[in-house]
Amino acid sequence: MVTPASNHNYNKHNPHKNDGFSEIRKIIRLVLRNWYLFVISMILCLGFVEFYHRYTPQVYRASVTMLFKNNPERTLSQTSLMEGFGLSPEMRSVENQTFIIRSNKMVRKAVDKLDFGISYFVKGRLKDTELYGSLPFNIIIDSIHPQILNTLINLKFTSNGKVRVNINTENATLHNFALSSNVGTSGPINLDTTIAIGEKLNHSAFSFLVNLEQTPGADLFSNEYFVIFNSHSNITSRFRESLTVSNYREGSSIIFISTRGEQPQKIVRFLDVFSEVIIVNNLERKNDMANRSLEFIQKQLGQISDTLKVMQQRLMDFRQNNRFMIPSEMSQKLSAEFFEKEKELMKIDLSRDYFQVLKKMLINNQIDENDYLMPAFASDNAGLTRQLVLEHMALLNELSLLEGAGKVNPYNKELTKKLGLSKENLIIVIDKQLETIALQKKEVDRLLEGLSAKIGDLPALERDYLALERTYKLNDAIYTFLLQKNSETQITKASNIPDNEILDQASLSGIITPNKRSNFSKAFLIGLVIPALLIAIKEFFNVKIRGKDDLDVLGFDVSLVGSIIHSKEKSENVVMENSMSAIAESFRSLRARLRFLMGQANGNVISITSTNTGEGKTFCAINLAAVFAISGKKTLLVGFDMRKPRLSGVFGLGNQPGISGFLIGQVELGEIIQSTVKENLFVLPAGIVPPNPSELILSTKTVELFSYLRKNFDIIIIDTPPVGLVSDARILMDLSDCHLYIVRAGVTNREHFTLTLSNLINEEIPCLGLVLNDVNPTHNGYGYSSSGYYSPQINNKG
């Protein structure tokens, strides 16, 4: 037997197998092969988004732009504190205003001014729509009667001027709108009744009537409606949750107040009212401080005025009764000095009383933002105390605005901590101030004692007159001081303006959910990703060899001799039946390459095997033998697959004796070689299935058989058993010159093939080539099948 040239370095990868674009081409082919997955996925994803947008309630965003004025150069002197009685710069900072604006108190003030207690809806098949503004009807409730909350009250209007009311609930909360408080629960309610328009419907859990707002239209009778009663506290909670406050940029006093909701007119209306509440609240607070100060001043003026009249009368009576006209120059000087010191002592006592009361209220936690009236009555050197008092009052006011936020609120905790520190600092400063006041009083008392001693040396009449005059002047000075402060406060109150200003009225800024553009973009991407992911998963778990690319990836340095395209004809001898078909051309191409390969091997015996059954080795052997016979070569097709012989059935030879009979010596070679209808094509069937095919192949009769065949035939095609299953094919390979390993696209197991081929390569089997069977030409782009020159036939049977 001639030994053909060996294929060395089988395991070495060919450097030309990857040109840098093979992976890209593979991906493109996979996409084109599975184009229908992308179409189906895209239709489903985009259709789902369209359905979602059609039946999902739209959520709108509205915003209002405001300016929060702040004067960082504002001082805390006594005069400036009286000007406007405004909040501290701390209170007007944007950071603090953010929390104040979102406070429960502020939002509740706006909600109380709105008509959001009843929500109106029109029913839809999949989506309900909330109505606001121009309503076809309205509900009038009895505010002092309990009403059910958060329960659907279904309404169906009829053409005879009646409305059908349906209410079903297991247990609903009862609310008294007049008291603004919950008053229990309703228990089970199952009501279905009809009332006239304008007729009150009374029940222990509700009391209301339905009125028409306009002339009934067709929509009123064709649609179904329902209403829901909402407590102001629940409405406040919902708006607080959706309310956002942000400044224009860092350090800016321009802020945007935004909210969101499903009813655009409602959220715009809320922001309009809410922005007005912010401005009014700011102005009311400034005016309220001025009003309380005016009340205090006017009360003091009334008391001083009465005292002043009494002293004036006593002074006049003294002059008339004693005919006293003018005191001496010395007595006038002493009286003036005594008057100034008494006036100074009065202010010291007033300041001391102020600080003592303030300290007591701080210690007993009795101070609030309404108690601090008139810091101007404190002494002029108590600027630090006044500043700390204002800061403390600001914290108290801010904390009161956050009521309802809960003690666990982080900012609430921070404010409480700041308030405690402010209280401690205030008490320390007040104690120091009281010590200073005590020293000042002691000094003034000492000076007054000296002046009193000098005045005591004056005549009794003059001394009594001077005492009356000093008392009168002192009350007159206080009265003048209070008149001045009253006038200043009146002017300040009249000139008070809000610190806040609306720059842009509330307006809608668009739909925030669902975002149609974003969702369609996401759906488009998902429509691409899902099939790509399915393809990737399919590729990852694929264990089959599907084409030349998969063979290239394995990296074996074994030539791909040919590719046989997919056939769908019932007959396996497709070349003999249709020699002009595309599949016949693929076998001719295989024959051409085999001639070159066999020329190098210098032999004429070709074994055909595969990894497993059903991969088309018999099909390829039959048609390859046919194309050799057509070319004029005397060709013999040998059926050495004695375990599952098929050639007899394909060529209609029945149970005639074959190779197994010859190997056991029952027949001669001349008796078992059969001719076919095709000229130059002969068949040597396997014969009866023996119990020991491997042992028969190893016998000397096999060598005798091959020696005879080489001498009498030009081409010998051997159909062997699968080399991945039994050893028969491996034995026959030693008796053959060339070996074709059939790989069926989409059928051959990658791992089994790799193991089997690796074993053959390691054993250095010569003249070994691969044939890729059952290839889909549209997936691999074979020119002769896609050019239109041949009509592709379409199941390459094993």
Side-chain angles (χ1 to χ4, degrees), residues 586-787:
S586 64
F587 277 106
R588 289 190 183 96
S589 176
L590 175 60
R591 180 188 65 190
R593 298 201 62 184
L594 273 176
R595 282 178 173 174
F596 174 77
L597 195 62
M598 291 176 65
Q600 293 180 328
N602 195 21
N604 62 348
V605 180
I606 303 170
S607 68
I608 298 180
T609 189
S610 63
T611 306
N612 209 330
T613 58
E615 295 179 349
K617 60 179 182 57
T618 301
F619 171 81
C620 291
I622 293 170
N623 288 283
L624 183 60
V627 294
F628 271 112
I630 290 173
S631 68
K633 297 287 184 180
K634 187 179 180 182
T635 305
L636 176 65
L637 178 60
V638 182
F640 245 110
D641 189 353
M642 292 186 291
R643 298 174 188 269
K644 289 186 177 181
R646 294 185 59 237
L647 290 182
S648 296
V650 173
F651 288 94
L653 301 178
N655 292 325
Q656 294 186 13
I659 295 174
S660 60
F662 171 77
L663 294 179
I664 61 176
Q666 289 182 347
V667 295
E668 297 296 329
L669 273 173
E671 301 176 26
I672 58 177
I673 298 175
Q674 308 292 332
S675 62
T676 66
V677 295
K678 187 67 178 178
E679 185 181 359
N680 295 325
L681 180 60
F682 299 85
V683 178
L684 179 55
I688 299 172
V689 177
N692 55 346
S694 295
E695 287 73 15
L696 289 179
I697 294 173
L698 287 171
S699 68
T700 56
K701 296 285 285 183
T702 303
V703 178
E704 179 186 341
L705 172 64
F706 272 84
S707 177
Y708 175 83
L709 297 179
R710 287 178 186 274
K711 293 177 182 178
N712 291 278
F713 292 94
D714 298 327
I715 297 294
I716 303 163
I717 307 294
I718 303 177
D719 179 22
T720 71
V723 71
L725 296 180
V726 294
S727 61
D728 301 7
R730 178 64 187 87
I731 299 171
L732 292 169
M733 282 183 174
D734 290 337
L735 300 173
S736 304
D737 302 313
C738 281
H739 318 283
L740 295 182
Y741 196 125
I742 306 300
V743 180
R744 186 173 181 180
V747 175
T748 301
N749 183 279
R750 185 197 306 263
E751 186 176 353
H752 197 179
F753 166 78
T754 302
L755 179 62
T756 304
L757 186 60
S758 296
N759 291 335
L760 295 178
I761 291 174
N762 291 336
E763 294 172 12
E764 298 186 356
I765 300 298
C767 198
L768 179 63
L770 301 176
V771 176
L772 187 60
N773 182 34
D774 202 15
V775 175
N776 190 330
T778 60
H779 291 171
N780 293 273
Y782 293 96
Y784 57 81
S785 62
S786 59
S787 64

Side-chain angles (χ1 to χ4, degrees), residues 182-294:
N182 295 336
V183 291
T185 56
S186 66
I189 298 176
N190 188 1
L191 176 70
D192 191 351
T193 186
T194 301
I195 61 174
I197 301 295
E199 177 186 352
K200 180 176 284 190
L201 179 60
N202 288 309
H203 187 275
S204 60
F206 49 82
S207 178
F208 62 87
L209 57 87
V210 182
N211 278 339
L212 293 181
E213 287 291 308
Q214 54 194 19
T215 303
D219 291 344
L220 182 67
F221 305 114
S222 61
N223 292 328
E224 292 187 17
Y225 302 88
F226 66 90
V227 297
I228 298 176
F229 297 158
N230 310 292
S231 68
H232 283 199
S233 59
N234 288 340
I235 300 172
T236 301
S237 298
R238 289 201 296 268
F239 273 109
R240 281 195 67 204
E241 183 181 354
S242 64
L243 201 64
T244 58
V245 182
S246 59
N247 58 333
Y248 172 65
R249 61 186 178 188
E250 187 69 25
S252 173
S253 295
I254 298 175
I255 66 168
F256 303 102
I257 304 175
S258 305
T259 189
R260 61 183 185 275
E262 296 179 8
Q263 223 301 327
Q265 293 172 288
K266 249 188 176 182
I267 58 177
V268 170
R269 174 63 177 156
F270 168 76
L271 286 179
D272 281 336
V273 174
F274 187 59
S275 57
E276 292 175 2
V277 165
I278 293 173
I279 293 175
V280 170
N281 180 76
N282 175 261
L283 184 58
E284 284 180 350
R285 176 160 178 80
K286 295 170 73 174
N287 287 338
D288 183 58
M289 296 182 71
N291 288 334
R292 284 185 276 112
S293 296
L294 284 171

